[in-house]
Amino acid sequence: MTGTSRRPTDSRWRRWYAALMATRLTQLGAGIVVGLVALATFGPVLSPYDPTAQALLHRLEAPSLAHPLGTDQLGRDVFTRLLYGARLSLGIALVVTTVRLVLGTIVGLVAGYVGGWVDEALMRLVDTLLAFPGIVLALVIAGILGPSLTNVMVALAVVGWASYARLVRSSVLSVREREFVTASRLLGRSRAHVLGRHLVPNVVAPVVVLATLDVGSVILGTAGLSFLGLGAQPPTPEWGTMLAAGRDYLRTAWWLVNAPGVLIMLTVFGFNLLGDGLRDALSPTQSAQIEQL
């Protein structure tokens, strides 16, 4: 009996997964993301090199069997540093995106459901943040706080939650007057119950899509601020820092810039493709079709 009760849910999940993986581009994006996560998780364990250990006798060696992506100006293995940098960059992107999502969702839910002067005050704050280019505002905040990865994370989290708040608020405004929400109010349900039971499930899909697409922008922002010297500091193996260190060797050691640059591009590309696939799979039309199957 227990197995029978699980079948409709399991079948629905399988149909949703099939809808998500219906296109080659989404499959490519998912493959890139899974591959990067696997490299970040297991790659450093398999690498025989220390990402910060210097070997000046082997500095600026071209790619070879011993060093697949060559060595840098201090003799460190570039491939190993990229693997450790993947762990660092993906971890930062996950933390920053989670903070953005949670903070923006809470603000959007409160603004959309409570309304009145609360909504007006919160939305004016959101408008103020959205009036500035995100990377410029993050640059100012990181510059004031000082160069460190923690301060970069704070800066990127502060400038990014406003988009989530606006998206969640618009979703709440479209749902709060529907019949099932009105019925719940008439039954005397608390605001917390209405928010948790009826409103939050209806804003999950667009927020998840935005968060997936946002991971790429966080990685770009982290690398950009580190490239400018406001993020990770040497010898931390971070992609933006590696780009900054390799820019002086563009003509003599092309791999120092190309390797982290291509990896950043692939990471952003993979998350963007996966986000587009999630958007299509979680669209109202697609969801309705899945429910009817």
Side-chain angles (χ1 to χ4, degrees):
M1 189 175 225
T2 304
T4 304
S5 63
R6 289 180 178 177
R7 286 176 187 170
T9 302
D10 294 342
S11 180
R12 189 178 301 115
W13 275 106
R14 284 195 296 269
R15 290 194 294 267
W16 179 83
Y17 179 78
L20 174 62
M21 294 298 171
T23 64
R24 297 281 185 180
L25 289 178
T26 305
Q27 295 173 13
L28 175 61
I32 292 174
V33 171
V34 171
L36 285 169
V37 172
L39 286 176
T41 304
F42 303 108
V45 178
L46 302 176
S47 175
Y49 301 104
D50 187 325
T52 60
Q54 301 180 14
L56 297 180
L57 294 178
H58 300 283
R59 62 190 301 270
L60 299 178
E61 288 186 357
S64 62
L65 291 178
H67 302 284
L69 293 177
T71 62
D72 64 7
Q73 69 277 11
L74 296 176
R76 299 171 296 194
D77 183 67
V78 173
F79 182 66
T80 301
R81 289 178 61 79
L82 285 176
L83 292 177
Y84 279 85
R87 177 179 291 183
L88 190 62
S89 295
L90 291 176
I92 291 173
L94 178 62
V95 172
V96 172
T97 303
T98 301
V99 173
R100 287 180 173 185
L101 187 152
V102 172
L103 181 58
T105 299
I106 292 174
V107 172
L109 284 171
V110 173
Y113 187 68
V114 176
W117 67 268
V118 174
D119 179 27
E120 189 71 19
L122 291 176
M123 286 304 102
R124 297 298 74 76
L125 175 60
V126 168
D127 290 340
T128 301
L129 288 175
L130 293 177
F132 294 93
I135 190 63
V136 174
L137 187 56
L139 181 64
V140 172
I141 296 174
I144 293 174
L145 295 178
S148 76
L149 272 179
T150 301
N151 291 339
V152 164
M153 292 168 65
V154 171
L156 292 173
V158 167
V159 304
W161 64 266
S163 299
Y164 291 88
R166 182 173 288 280
L167 176 64
V168 171
R169 175 182 177 269
S170 63
S171 299
V172 170
L173 290 177
S174 65
V175 173
R176 71 176 185 178
E177 302 302 330
R178 295 178 65 177
E179 293 80 0
F180 58 88
V181 177
T182 303
S184 184
R185 289 173 181 164
L186 293 176
L187 290 173
R189 304 297 187 186
S190 65
R191 285 185 172 181
H193 176 87
V194 174
L195 286 171
R197 182 67 178 83
H198 300 295
L199 298 183
V200 171
N202 283 279
V203 304
V204 166
V207 166
V208 168
V209 172
L210 178 59
T212 306
L213 295 170
D214 208 25
V215 171
S217 67
V218 173
I219 290 175
L220 281 176
T222 303
L225 292 175
S226 294
F227 180 84
L228 296 174
L230 295 174
Q233 301 299 305
T236 304
E238 197 275 330
W239 292 343
T241 304
M242 293 176 67
L243 282 172
R247 62 186 170 182
D248 295 328
Y249 303 91
L250 281 172
R251 295 186 177 181
T252 57
W254 54 267
W255 56 89
L256 293 184
V257 171
N258 288 345
V262 169
L263 194 54
I264 291 172
M265 182 272 292
L266 282 177
T267 304
V268 176
F269 184 62
F271 276 103
N272 285 347
L273 290 180
L274 183 59
D276 288 340
L278 281 171
R279 181 188 58 199
D280 296 337
L282 295 175
S283 65
T285 303
Q286 183 68 53
S287 300
Q289 291 174 352
I290 292 174
E291 293 292 336
Q292 291 172 3
L293 291 176

